[in-house]
Amino acid sequence: MTWEWDVIWKYFPRLLEGAWLTMELVLISGLIGIALAIPLALMRASKLPWIKALPFTYIYFFRGTPLLVQIFLVYYGASQFEVVRESFLWPVLKQPYWCAIIAFSLNTAAYSAELFRSAIQAIPVGEIEAAEAMGMSKNVQIRRIIMPRAFGIALPAYGNEVILMLKGSALASTITLLDLTGMARTIIARTYTPLEMFLAAGVVYLAISALIIALFRFMEYRFNRYQYYHHADTPADLDPQLRDPHIDQK
Amino acid sequence: MMKIRKVLAAAALIAGGLLTAQMATAGDKIRIATEGAYAPFNMVDSSGELIGFDVEIAKALCAQMQADCEIVAQDWDGIIPGLRARKYDAIVASMSITEERMRVVDFSEKYYSNVLAFVTPEGSDIVVTKEGLKGKTVGAQRATIAGQYLEDNLGDVVNVKLYDTQDNAYLDLATGRLDALLSDKFPAYDWLRSDDGKGFAFNGEDIDINDEIGIAVRKGDSLKNKFSAAIKAIVADGTYAKINEKYFPFSIY
Amino acid sequence: MDLQGFGHLLISGTWVTIQLALSSLLVGLVFGLTGAAAKLSKNPIARWLATGYTTLVRGLPELLLVLTIYFGGSQLLMWIAGSFGYTEYIEIGPFVAGVAALSIAFGAYATEVFRMAMMEIPQGQWESGLACGMSRSRTFFRIILPQVWRLAIPGLGNLFQVLLKDTALVSVVGLNDIMRQSQVAISSTKEPFTFFMVAACIYLLLTAATTAFTMFMERAANPAARGNRG
């Protein structure tokens, strides 16, 4: 077997171009995904069955089907209908770039909504009762207490979701986009060096994952800073009524 | 002990039987593989029969060689390994003669030549030259000669889109995502003639990329020369032209 | 819904998808158990290898794995076989490439599931097995594995759902699964939305069936809890 290092060096700049598109896709669909996931999660956490039903169906569909089907439904499926092709949406749906973003956003929104829902339900009841006792309205509670707390609780799991999005973004290459995988495939069609180019692409993917992991570690440290405070030991002779069980546990 | 001997004897019998059966078929028959998924060259009709240009050429060649032939379907990915494993003796499946394949199999002389052509919507005002295509979106199937040609010759001026399958490229041509499509000419001709291809047409001259299609046989097999001679003979006596005519109104030799 | 005579094609595609998923599951479970055993072993090289395996696979797109094995696998295998003096041409078809890629991916995540489950088993279980005169391997298969299995089923069920959805990727290299057959149907009907939607519904049915089966397995593997749930 001949191993061609020079092919890797020669085409590496083009791979990096692809990597840039990959990161752009992940970032933009990640942000849109969060924006969609928050209302979905709040609806899912609701106690009213008719409010819960809609996000449930949405989440069930997007978590139960392959991302490849979803991306093909948006890219090829939408164009089946004359109405869509005549409408103001077509200039957007015509472009594979936006189709990929739409599919990835809808997909990650479904997964993130479940993460946020379980985070919302993991907030200690006492904290919400305390907010109520302070006279906060439901809206203020959501903005000041529920969202920030849920975000902190969901952060580590959300970091995993972003890594999964990164891996899923490789599917952009199936609708002609030249993301990292698409770029590698296009180069290989000419150079016939699949092992070399896919290895190089793999290394770039691992580097991006490492970057994402580091970013989330840092954010978690900043966001959940209270967990990292070192509490002074409670004096042994403290009046039992003043003891805080949370601190004693640590 | 007796038991083992019996088993051995039975095994020997079965093996012997298989061997003679194998030799019998290998002696009288030429087994030819085709893919059955590349219209109009090789495909399967509704009754499961293999049909198409390749199949008819294969039959004509066998008639010419006065050989008894059997045509079998084989997936593209396993088609060369199957030949080497002696599942069949020749491949007539629109296979381009390439250096890579020449390393593992021998090829007869060409039995047709592949050319490329642009397809655009009917009445499109695009001129398929480097100038005319500037800034347009042109598609092709990834990892095909058409895709490579597009990248190498027009990659700097047009927006190249590469598809995993030819069908996906057709879909995007139909929805207007593509201004033009570059493809192997003959399958595209077949598509243009079908209902799906209504409203589209070839645009501009054929592009000759020196792509010859041959019959693959095992390395060193004397069938190579027999096939080459038979191809010459059916071209000379008009049999080839008759088959050609059934599929294309122009010569593809 | 009018499938225009393509129903049988979709059924054959579904069958291919199921075969691919089950084959990858079997191979993947072997990878997962081996990986977990390596991670918990006392041998630092085994631990290092297993950690490398899980870290690499969890950062690489599954599509990239499928493509690498399909397009580069035969080159790699021939190189390995060549060093043993075997020079025949080796070809890797889409099904084999798919099983290889999906089981490698499944195995990496399953390693973690099995490792967690193995760590849950108290050391005393090992000791009592040995005290009864069982060999280490017999203790593992008779005492430890059934319990690990029970603890691992919910996690493995989730992973199998991911695997099932990832089988769609193998259509990209030409396997005639649900996705590919839908595309065949679309190429003659020109109705991408209809057929991709049908494909989506088949996948939903398969994932729902998997959920039901996982719940059944959880009960079957846990005789103690069966009575409580009625």
Side-chain angles (χ1 to χ4, degrees):
Chain A
M1 189 171 73
T2 49
W3 186 265
E4 300 181 37
W5 284 109
D6 42 325
V7 175
I8 298 183
W9 302 135
K10 187 176 166 204
Y11 287 100
F12 204 69
R14 289 195 65 196
L15 275 188
L16 289 184
E17 265 173 56
W20 191 246
L21 178 60
T22 290
M23 289 196 275
E24 206 177 301
L25 290 173
V26 172
L27 183 72
I28 297 179
S29 13
L31 291 176
I32 301 177
I34 292 179
L36 290 172
I38 290 172
L40 282 172
L42 289 171
M43 283 163 82
R44 271 286 270 148
S46 155
K47 287 182 190 72
L48 300 168
W50 52 275
I51 292 190
K52 275 202 287 203
L54 181 75
F56 177 81
T57 319
Y58 171 86
I59 291 168
Y60 193 78
F61 180 82
F62 279 91
R63 297 198 345 154
T65 57
L67 179 57
L68 188 66
V69 176
Q70 295 161 18
I71 199 169
F72 279 0
L73 267 174
V74 175
Y75 186 76
Y76 293 113
S79 63
Q80 177 177 333
F81 306 105
E82 197 77 20
V83 201
V84 176
R85 270 182 287 159
E86 306 283 294
S87 77
F88 66 98
L89 284 171
W90 186 239
V92 173
L93 285 172
K94 197 177 166 182
Q95 297 172 45
Y97 179 84
W98 289 109
C99 289
I101 294 221
I102 292 170
F104 293 158
S105 307
L106 292 176
N107 180 271
T108 186
Y111 285 92
S112 320
E114 278 302 273
L115 293 181
F116 292 154
R117 176 189 63 89
S118 56
I120 290 172
Q121 287 170 344
I123 299 172
V125 187
E127 291 182 29
I128 299 184
E129 284 169 356
E132 235 152 63
M134 303 275 290
M136 286 189 188
S137 71
K138 196 77 197 165
N139 271 330
V140 177
Q141 277 178 41
I142 289 177
R143 248 185 317 119
R144 292 258 180 91
I145 310 293
I146 298 181
M147 287 330 292
R149 276 296 271 138
F151 194 68
I153 295 171
L155 249 187
Y158 187 70
N160 280 335
E161 168 57 21
V162 175
I163 301 273
L164 292 178
M165 267 174 75
L166 170 69
K167 295 169 62 161
S169 74
L171 296 189
S173 70
T174 62
I175 54 167
T176 76
L177 279 175
L178 293 180
D179 71 319
L180 185 44
T181 303
M183 198 59 104
R185 294 175 72 185
T186 301
I187 295 168
I188 290 162
R190 174 198 313 262
T191 60
Y192 299 112
T193 51
L195 283 176
E196 288 89 336
M197 285 331 291
F198 284 139
L199 176 93
V203 169
V204 179
Y205 273 113
L206 289 176
I208 302 177
S209 317
L211 201 72
I212 294 173
I213 292 169
L215 188 73
F216 272 87
R217 289 255 166 86
F218 175 74
M219 288 207 321
E220 207 203 328
Y221 176 72
R222 293 295 301 262
F223 215 87
N224 294 343
R225 186 178 266 172
Y226 67 92
Q227 287 183 353
Y228 297 89
Y229 281 137
H230 182 75
H231 296 282
D233 289 336
T234 318
D237 55 352
L238 189 71
D239 181 342
Q241 290 209 321
L242 293 177
R243 279 183 187 277
D244 180 338
H246 291 286
I247 294 176
D248 275 2
Q249 271 164 20
K250 292 212 170 168
Chain B
M1 200 56 205
M2 270 313 284
K3 221 178 178 182
I4 293 177
R5 227 185 251 165
K6 260 187 199 158
V7 171
L8 278 178
L13 258 175
I14 292 169
L18 281 177
L19 209 62
T20 41
Q22 187 100 39
M23 275 158 71
T25 51
D28 319 327
K29 252 187 190 173
I30 302 175
R31 286 158 306 162
I32 296 175
T34 195
E35 188 197 3
Y38 188 64
F41 289 95
N42 54 71
M43 61 266 196
V44 183
D45 70 6
S46 54
S47 64
E49 198 83 8
L50 282 163
I51 53 166
F53 180 84
D54 287 341
V55 178
E56 288 196 40
I57 288 289
K59 284 180 180 161
L61 291 175
C62 290
Q64 176 67 35
M65 297 187 292
Q66 296 180 323
D68 187 12
C69 289
E70 185 191 1
I71 299 179
V72 296
Q74 167 69 48
D75 283 348
W76 185 254
D77 288 303
I79 209 161
I80 287 183
L83 176 71
R84 293 165 57 103
R86 298 181 179 272
K87 267 172 81 179
Y88 34 79
D89 311 297
I91 301 170
V92 186
S94 292
M95 188 176 272
S96 297
I97 303 173
T98 65
E99 261 178 52
E100 280 213 314
R101 291 184 183 131
M102 297 262 270
R103 289 208 309 251
V104 289
V105 295
D106 276 352
F107 279 100
S108 72
E109 311 247 315
K110 68 162 185 176
Y111 67 95
Y112 77 85
S113 310
N114 178 36
V115 291
L116 304 180
F118 281 102
V119 178
T120 56
E122 224 158 18
S124 153
D125 53 2
I126 293 176
V127 187
V128 291
T129 55
K130 203 158 183 168
E131 279 297 293
L133 286 170
K134 196 169 263 176
K136 303 285 183 205
T137 306
V138 185
Q141 192 179 346
R142 198 196 299 273
T144 60
I145 294 172
Q148 255 173 63
Y149 180 88
L150 210 53
E151 284 225 297
D152 289 345
N153 296 285
L154 297 163
D156 46 341
V157 291
V158 307
N159 179 12
V160 176
K161 285 178 72 172
L162 297 175
Y163 293 83
D164 290 333
T165 65
Q166 186 75 14
D167 286 329
N168 284 346
Y170 285 143
L171 275 178
D172 264 6
L173 188 67
T175 58
R177 280 198 182 108
L178 289 180
D179 297 313
L181 171 73
L182 185 65
S183 155
D184 289 345
K185 182 174 180 184
F186 310 130
Y189 176 81
D190 198 54
W191 182 74
L192 286 173
R193 259 196 333 189
S194 71
D195 283 347
D196 307 337
K198 273 206 185 91
F200 298 93
F202 284 123
N203 189 336
E205 301 275 301
D206 294 349
I207 302 167
D208 185 1
I209 27 74
N210 196 23
D211 182 16
E212 299 193 329
I213 310 296
I215 296 170
V217 297
R218 278 183 295 276
K219 273 220 164 294
D221 195 325
S222 62
L223 271 178
K224 171 185 163 176
N225 294 331
K226 287 185 190 155
F227 272 120
S228 296
I231 293 170
K232 288 227 170 73
I234 64 165
V235 169
D237 74 4
T239 315
Y240 184 94
K242 259 187 223 148
I243 299 172
N244 188 148
E245 219 168 69
K246 276 173 75 178
Y247 292 89
F248 309 103
F250 42 80
S251 170
I252 66 170
Y253 182 66
Chain C
M1 203 178 290
D2 182 15
L3 296 181
Q4 303 172 39
F6 285 98
H8 68 283
L9 214 59
L10 295 176
I11 290 172
S12 79
T14 308
W15 178 229
V16 171
T17 295
I18 292 173
Q19 283 174 304
L20 176 64
L22 292 180
S23 315
S24 312
L25 173 69
L26 279 182
V27 184
L29 284 175
V30 176
F31 283 158
L33 273 173
T34 317
K39 271 205 170 176
L40 294 172
S41 93
K42 293 190 183 72
N43 184 337
I45 297 172
R47 282 205 305 269
W48 186 83
L49 277 175
T51 308
Y53 165 56
T54 54
T55 316
L56 279 185
V57 172
R58 289 197 292 173
L60 291 176
E62 283 76 12
L63 180 61
L64 195 71
L65 278 179
V66 172
L67 293 170
T68 309
I69 294 176
Y70 181 72
F71 289 109
S74 55
Q75 196 186 343
L76 196 67
L77 270 186
M78 279 166 71
W79 176 64
I80 295 169
S83 59
F84 290 104
Y86 182 83
T87 50
E88 282 294 298
Y89 184 73
I90 304 172
E91 179 104 23
I92 295 185
F95 190 86
V96 175
V99 171
L102 296 178
S103 55
I104 287 173
F106 180 90
Y109 290 92
T111 295
E112 286 307 311
V113 170
F114 279 127
R115 189 182 67 95
M116 299 287 258
M118 283 180 185
M119 280 165 53
E120 293 267 312
I121 310 287
Q123 190 61 30
Q125 302 269 347
W126 279 103
E127 287 159 7
S128 48
L130 296 176
C132 289
M134 291 188 191
S135 69
R136 265 193 85 79
S137 62
R138 176 168 270 199
T139 311
F140 179 76
F141 284 110
R142 286 266 177 91
I143 310 289
I144 307 298
L145 197 59
Q147 301 185 69
V148 167
W149 185 237
R150 177 171 63 81
L151 291 169
I153 283 176
L156 294 177
N158 281 335
L159 292 184
F160 183 66
Q161 297 225 346
V162 175
L163 169 67
L164 199 58
K165 288 182 278 170
D166 282 345
T167 56
L169 301 176
V170 188
S171 70
V172 174
V173 296
L175 185 74
N176 291 320
D177 71 335
I178 302 174
M179 281 309 280
R180 193 70 170 191
Q181 301 293 28
S182 317
Q183 284 174 290
V184 170
I186 288 162
S187 72
S188 50
T189 61
K190 296 284 166 282
E191 289 183 1
F193 188 83
T194 316
F195 281 92
F196 284 137
M197 209 57 188
V198 171
C201 291
I202 299 176
Y203 281 110
L204 276 181
L205 276 178
L206 291 179
T207 44
T210 307
T211 312
F213 186 70
T214 312
M215 278 160 73
F216 168 77
M217 288 290 284
E218 254 178 87
R219 286 192 57 178
N222 191 357
R226 237 175 277 161
N228 300 341
R229 293 194 209 163

